[in-house]
Amino acid sequence: MSIVWRSRLLDASDHAAGTRAVVRALDAAGAQLSLQQTPWDAPSVVSEAELAWFARRDRPPARTGTTVQRTLARLLTPYVHGIGAAWTAFAGEVPDRETLLRLRQMDVVWVPSAAQRDALLAAGLEADRVLEVPEPVDLAVFRPDAPPFPAPGAHGTVFVAMCGPGPADGADLLARAWARAFRPGDDVTLVLVPAVGERTSGPEPLADAMVAAIRADGHDPSAMADMVILDEPLAEHRVAGLLAGAAAVVVPARAAGLGRRIAEAAATGRPVIGARAHGVTDATGWTVEARIVPVGDVPGHRELAESRWHEQDPDALAAALAEAHASPAGRAARGAAGRESATRHDHHAVAAAALAHLAAAVPARPAGRLRLGLTRAVLEGPVLGPSPLAGLNRDLARALAHGWEVALSVVEAEAVAADVLPPDDDALVRAMALRHAGAPHVVVRDQHPPQFAAPAHGALVHFLHWEFGALPEQWRAGAAALDEIWVASPHVRDALLADGVHPDRVTEIPMGVDTARFHPGTPEMDLADAAPGLRFLFVGGLVWRKGADLLLEAYARAFTRDDDVTLVVKDFGAGGPYPPSPEAERAARMAADPRGPRVLRLTGMLPAADIPGLYRACDALVHPDRAEAFGLTMLEAMACGLTVIAPDHGPAGGFLLPDAAIPLPAHPVRATSNRFGPWTMAEPPLVGEVAVDDLAAAMRRVYEDPAGVAARAARAVEVASARTWTRAAGIAADRLRILAATPRRAAA
């Protein structure tokens, strides 16, 4: 059987670990594999030898056969080679709306438990399409006598838990239970392995979550039984060694997920402490009483607000920990029973069951007829997340839905969701729910980093939002194979042409502003007393490219604590798209300094609906970027009536008019490196940099001239309102029609 396998492959996540196991079994069964890694920002735990093994078995995809996607339901796409199989799990007791939307578009659905299968059948999925597939484990790696990997400082009875800091993993419950079960000096150790998941965590966030829960429970974190948090992701053989040397594995999660921890514990002959609803039994571990509670509006899980999950009682969890510690014989008996039950997780058995289900599968094509004359397009990219790209894709999708003879299907590509699909957003709901009854004519990708792999069907277009001129070396081959490149501004188009890209292959799709959302009448966000006086606003990553260092220095020069002014900094905070930076550290210090000018730093995720209110709560936007692909933040702020202070270079020059904003002269500066993140350029690029003194003077000018601010505000609204998404959608629709009529694959 020919199988295209799309998943994470190289990191320590559950999706990747299970994929590595089952791919080895499929290869042994004679399957012809094509491995497509889904992008993720997580370090590899795969050795060079194993990487080479996977590379030798990676074949070009066959147009027929099967595609298996082992990933979050929100990231599934129905536009694949042959039969489309989804291998996933959902976090609540019942599937959320977004999960059901995607699973209904798939031909085959695999879930890890009978409970999840029953929930999908109750939601209307056909029984022959849904199969319970246990989590695959290589029993030759995960075994009771696996070579030990002792955690530093661990002693006595060692409990192991793998979890992240979020509520779904239950780290807060485990922290409270640990503090209640044991006292300082007890010969016990809790070893914590930070999870690598859709909300990748590290030792610091997990430690912070544990400490906060312990303190909230009335305990002193410095006076309790020992805990060790590992600071690096572990390869499978080290996970196996860690578990084999443990007394028990603790699974405090509220959401069952794929159930990998329980499967690995069983394979290594270790008892499990956790909820019965998640698969723990009295024979193989200690079951913990758990209440079914509504998820509610939990940060990071808003899509589950209407669902329920299982919350373990901390006292019951503490009692199970204490009993396991006191009962070596009980641990041995339960662990032995777990090892016997692990045969259902054997990766060869799981692969055989999966192949049998695929062999009997038939396409679940959507009902209805093809509408002749419509261009069938697919937009792949972030849609419901907090990133600027997600906002761009939402607006473009809505605009294309109205009167352009384009049937648009939208596929999510961003793992972190800050928003849910609004039921009253008819255009976006239709686009995300649509699965074309025929092959798409064109696939448009708008995501970062770019994904250049050829789609299963249709021509391929990619938005390239690249701020630094010449394309990175890693992009050149992929970009050359695109049917067309879309850019957001003449600034980027000119840079690509200067880099040697043929003009016929580049189309500008200008960004627009949704004036129904961004306008001067938008209710202001309540910043209360945290931001008195005139408010300057910065929105974006606190990084060098955005000029955050210039902003903070200029603000410190321009104002003192005596000035009635506040700088409101809205960055993405921990877990956002930008790594920690010196600028973020300085912003935090300035916000905490009672002697300097006031700074209010907002680091939490804001729903998209709240962004216009944030603009309206402020008086001016300061955006001293060194390089931008478009600068949509500036256009949105202008539409809300803010004065924008920004460089006069780059893409914003088309709308930062002197009577509508305060454009500042920028002088060319050569960057100090030719590397930006993982991307390498032939040489350090030229960027534009404003002088700190000019920036400080412009901020003083706004502070001292309220009449000038008001005059520019009215003109700013006028300028921004002329740049609509309807205009952008018209250009995009024309290009889609042309590409659909004459699909071609550009030569490298």
Side-chain angles (χ1 to χ4, degrees):
M1 179 179 289
S2 175
I3 300 176
V4 178
W5 196 282
R6 298 181 69 244
S7 179
R8 299 166 73 172
L9 179 63
L10 304 180
D11 60 47
S13 67
D14 291 358
H15 285 118
T19 287
R20 289 192 291 270
V22 80
V23 161
R24 289 192 288 266
L26 289 170
D27 176 73
Q32 300 295 301
L33 295 169
S34 175
L35 304 178
Q36 297 182 358
Q37 297 183 56
T38 54
W40 223 284
D41 184 18
S44 172
V45 295
V46 172
S47 68
E48 291 295 327
E50 189 172 14
L51 188 61
W53 188 93
F54 286 122
R56 289 194 299 271
R57 284 152 178 81
D58 186 7
R59 298 170 175 83
R63 291 287 170 178
T64 58
T66 299
T67 298
V68 178
Q69 300 174 78
R70 179 177 159 94
T71 187
L72 303 174
R74 64 184 285 105
L75 301 183
L76 295 167
T77 174
Y79 304 108
V80 296
H81 299 288
I83 297 290
W87 192 347
T88 192
F90 45 90
E93 187 190 39
V94 295
D96 59 274
R97 191 164 63 103
E98 291 173 37
T99 292
L100 285 174
L101 180 151
R102 287 299 175 215
L103 295 185
R104 285 173 176 146
Q105 296 174 334
M106 305 305 297
D107 302 316
V108 172
V109 177
W110 298 339
V111 287
S113 69
Q116 294 215 353
R117 182 178 187 271
D118 291 344
L120 293 179
L121 299 187
L125 271 70
E126 298 88 345
D128 59 347
R129 291 176 53 210
V130 185
L131 180 70
E132 178 192 352
V133 179
E135 181 66 3
V137 177
D138 187 338
L139 299 186
V141 175
F142 288 87
R143 61 184 195 273
D145 61 343
F149 178 70
H155 60 86
T157 305
V158 176
F159 297 91
V160 173
M162 299 182 186
C163 56
D169 283 353
D172 57 324
L173 300 174
L174 177 56
R176 292 157 60 191
W178 186 256
R180 297 179 189 184
F182 303 113
R183 296 291 177 264
D186 286 348
D187 194 16
V188 295
T189 310
L190 175 61
V191 178
L192 293 157
V193 183
V196 178
E198 69 273 21
R199 299 164 179 90
T200 298
S201 65
E204 292 83 7
L206 180 56
D208 291 344
M210 299 287 285
V211 167
I214 290 166
R215 285 179 173 154
D217 207 37
H219 298 276
D220 181 359
S222 64
M224 57 186 303
D226 289 342
M227 290 192 293
V228 175
I229 300 181
L230 302 184
D231 60 0
E232 62 179 350
L234 300 181
E236 286 157 79
H237 69 281
R238 290 193 166 182
V239 174
L242 180 66
L243 298 183
V249 176
V250 191
V251 183
R254 291 177 171 90
L258 291 167
R260 185 156 192 86
R261 298 290 78 75
I262 297 174
E264 290 173 343
T268 51
R270 294 299 173 261
V272 182
I273 301 172
R276 188 188 303 274
H278 296 169
V280 181
T281 70
D282 294 327
T284 60
W286 280 266
T287 57
V288 178
E289 179 185 349
R291 297 181 300 123
I292 299 176
V293 299
V295 176
D297 192 15
V298 174
H301 291 282
R302 296 185 65 214
E303 74 277 9
L304 301 177
E306 303 302 320
S307 188
R308 303 179 300 274
W309 56 20
H310 296 86
E311 182 166 300
Q312 299 180 42
D313 178 71
D315 286 328
L317 182 53
L321 288 165
E323 183 178 341
H325 167 57
S327 179
R331 297 197 304 265
R334 289 169 169 85
R339 177 65 182 178
E340 291 181 8
S341 72
T343 54
R344 67 187 297 267
H345 295 287
D346 176 65
H347 60 315
H348 293 290
V350 171
L355 287 171
H357 197 228
L358 291 176
V362 296
R365 295 304 177 195
R369 295 176 299 171
L370 288 173
R371 289 184 58 190
L372 299 180
L374 289 184
T375 301
R376 297 189 297 277
V378 177
L379 175 61
E380 297 178 352
V383 181
L384 300 179
S387 68
L389 277 185
L392 185 161
N393 289 330
R394 287 192 294 268
D395 288 333
L396 181 59
R398 293 184 188 109
L400 277 171
H402 298 290
W404 297 109
E405 295 301 306
V406 173
L408 183 69
S409 175
V410 171
V411 174
E412 174 67 73
E414 187 171 71
V416 179
D419 291 303
V420 296
L421 185 59
D424 58 348
D425 193 339
D426 293 339
L428 194 57
V429 170
R430 285 197 306 271
M432 295 195 74
L434 173 64
R435 175 182 176 180
H436 292 307
H441 295 120
V442 187
V443 174
V444 179
R445 292 187 183 137
D446 188 15
Q447 56 194 108
H448 187 83
Q451 300 300 309
F452 296 117
H457 310 281
L460 177 60
V461 175
H462 211 306
F463 262 108
L464 292 183
H465 305 283
W466 182 245
E467 302 88 353
F468 297 113
L471 291 176
E473 298 296 326
Q474 297 94 329
W475 294 11
R476 290 186 176 278
L482 295 171
D483 290 297
E484 190 160 287
I485 297 171
W486 286 2
V487 297
S489 67
H491 173 70
V492 179
R493 185 178 191 274
D494 292 345
L496 293 183
L497 300 190
D499 196 32
V501 181
H502 195 281
D504 290 347
R505 299 187 57 245
V506 185
T507 296
E508 179 194 351
I509 308 293
M511 301 297 96
V513 64
D514 183 355
T515 55
R517 295 174 55 232
F518 297 94
H519 58 84
T522 300
E524 297 182 5
M525 177 183 291
D526 183 11
L527 298 179
D529 297 330
L534 185 136
R535 294 167 178 166
F536 290 103
L537 175 65
F538 174 83
V539 177
L542 288 168
V543 294
W544 180 86
R545 179 176 70 82
K546 295 286 188 180
D549 56 325
L550 305 174
L551 167 67
L552 297 174
E553 179 60 28
Y555 182 67
R557 291 187 192 182
F559 301 103
T560 70
R561 193 69 171 192
D562 294 331
D563 291 311
D564 193 20
V565 62
T566 302
L567 173 62
V568 180
V569 176
K570 175 63 193 82
D571 68 3
F572 290 92
Y578 298 102
S581 67
E583 293 83 6
E585 293 175 3
R586 182 174 185 185
R589 290 195 304 270
M590 291 175 67
D593 185 359
R595 298 163 298 177
R598 282 186 297 270
V599 174
L600 172 62
R601 188 177 176 209
L602 307 174
T603 59
M605 293 292 186
L606 280 185
D610 293 348
I611 298 297
L614 175 62
Y615 288 134
R616 285 298 304 146
C618 299
D619 301 284
L621 179 84
V622 190
H623 195 89
D625 64 276
R626 290 182 172 93
E628 277 285 4
F630 185 78
L632 186 59
T633 297
M634 293 181 271
L635 195 64
E636 292 173 345
M638 291 173 66
C640 290
L642 272 68
T643 294
V644 173
I645 304 171
D648 61 2
H649 73 91
F655 54 82
L656 286 182
L657 307 181
D659 61 342
I662 303 180
L664 300 178
H667 58 282
V669 172
R670 180 74 64 180
T672 59
S673 173
N674 66 336
R675 288 187 62 84
F676 292 88
W679 315 122
T680 305
M681 303 175 66
E683 62 178 356
L686 279 174
V687 298
E689 185 173 284
V690 301
V692 170
D693 286 342
D694 289 347
L695 184 56
M699 296 175 78
R700 288 294 311 185
R701 178 179 167 191
V702 168
Y703 179 65
E704 295 168 356
D705 182 20
V709 170
R712 277 190 298 272
R715 177 67 175 135
V717 173
E718 180 182 338
V719 170
S721 299
R723 292 177 170 263
T724 65
W725 279 107
T726 299
R727 172 177 170 238
I731 299 172
D734 285 342
R735 295 308 307 163
L736 291 172
R737 281 193 289 270
I738 292 171
L739 285 164
T742 56
R744 63 199 187 284
R745 178 67 55 204

